[in-house]
Amino acid sequence: MTAADRAKKIKVLIFDVDGVLTDGQIFVIPGPDGKGIESKGFAAHDGLGISLGRLGGLRIGIITKRNSQTVAIRARDLKLEFVYQGQAHKLEAASDILSKTGYSFEEMAYVGDDIIDLPVMRKCGLAIATANARPQLKEMAHYITPNPGGQGAGRDAIDFILTAQGTLSKVIEQYLDAENPAAGIADVGVGNM
């Protein structure tokens, strides 16, 4: 089965965070209490892509090993349906998402960049590796994004899925229609988090 054939079946799209929705760098700034304040950069293209994905009917979320207030804030701004932080064994979180949605692993796409993502990628219907992913992920991925994490890889994944499903152009027009209430509901936040 081709990657495009697999993408046609996708209903749930899950991202890793570090190295996928970010470039993988973690900046730790000393806080006044002696603890570190974590900072990360996210690509705006991915945020708009998440809006398009929602308009296209995808249910979207993240599973990450780290616990981060920065990620919690960004997830809230992106209006992500599924947010699982502190997940050393991501397959458990993926299974929980599927039990909540009633979908199967065949209907889930997962985007990862490092070996911690392998268990979910081995089981899901569409395994996507970022351009900056470790070789082990690229070897088994059904699709590799043209762009690296933090530079539009998330958007690449969404565009690929919606293109395979034949809805990308329609969804873009829905998003651009100022009179379309669904576009406003699907759209991500406007900052001031």
Side-chain angles (χ1 to χ4, degrees), residues 108-122:
M108 175 184 275
Y110 184 89
V111 187
D113 73 310
D114 211 336
I115 60 168
I116 192 169
D117 301 311
L118 281 172
V120 179
M121 291 178 72
R122 287 175 176 157

Side-chain angles (χ1 to χ4, degrees), residues 31-143:
D33 59 359
K35 295 182 180 180
I37 300 168
E38 189 173 286
S39 170
K40 306 173 194 245
F42 296 90
H45 285 188
D46 293 344
L48 200 146
I50 287 169
S51 295
L52 296 176
R54 252 196 302 277
L55 271 172
L58 297 176
R59 298 180 71 177
I60 302 173
I62 58 170
I63 303 174
T64 181
K65 182 179 178 184
R66 296 181 61 81
N67 282 303
S68 168
Q69 187 62 25
T70 301
V71 171
I73 292 167
R74 181 64 172 156
R76 207 170 36 247
D77 191 48
L78 294 176
K79 302 176 188 174
L80 296 179
E81 183 174 357
F82 311 106
V83 179
Y84 289 75
Q85 294 199 66
Q87 303 296 310
H89 302 285
K90 296 182 177 189
L91 194 55
E92 294 171 16
S95 296
D96 189 56
I97 291 167
L98 293 175
S99 72
K100 289 176 179 175
T101 63
Y103 293 120
S104 67
F105 270 102
E106 185 179 60
E107 297 168 299
M108 175 184 275
Y110 184 89
V111 187
D113 73 310
D114 211 336
I115 60 168
I116 192 169
D117 301 311
L118 281 172
V120 179
M121 291 178 72
R122 287 175 176 157
K123 194 156 179 154
C124 71
L126 178 62
I128 301 173
T130 57
N132 58 303
R134 303 308 302 170
Q136 297 89 341
L137 274 75
K138 287 182 174 181
E139 288 171 11
M140 59 82 47
H142 303 117
Y143 175 71

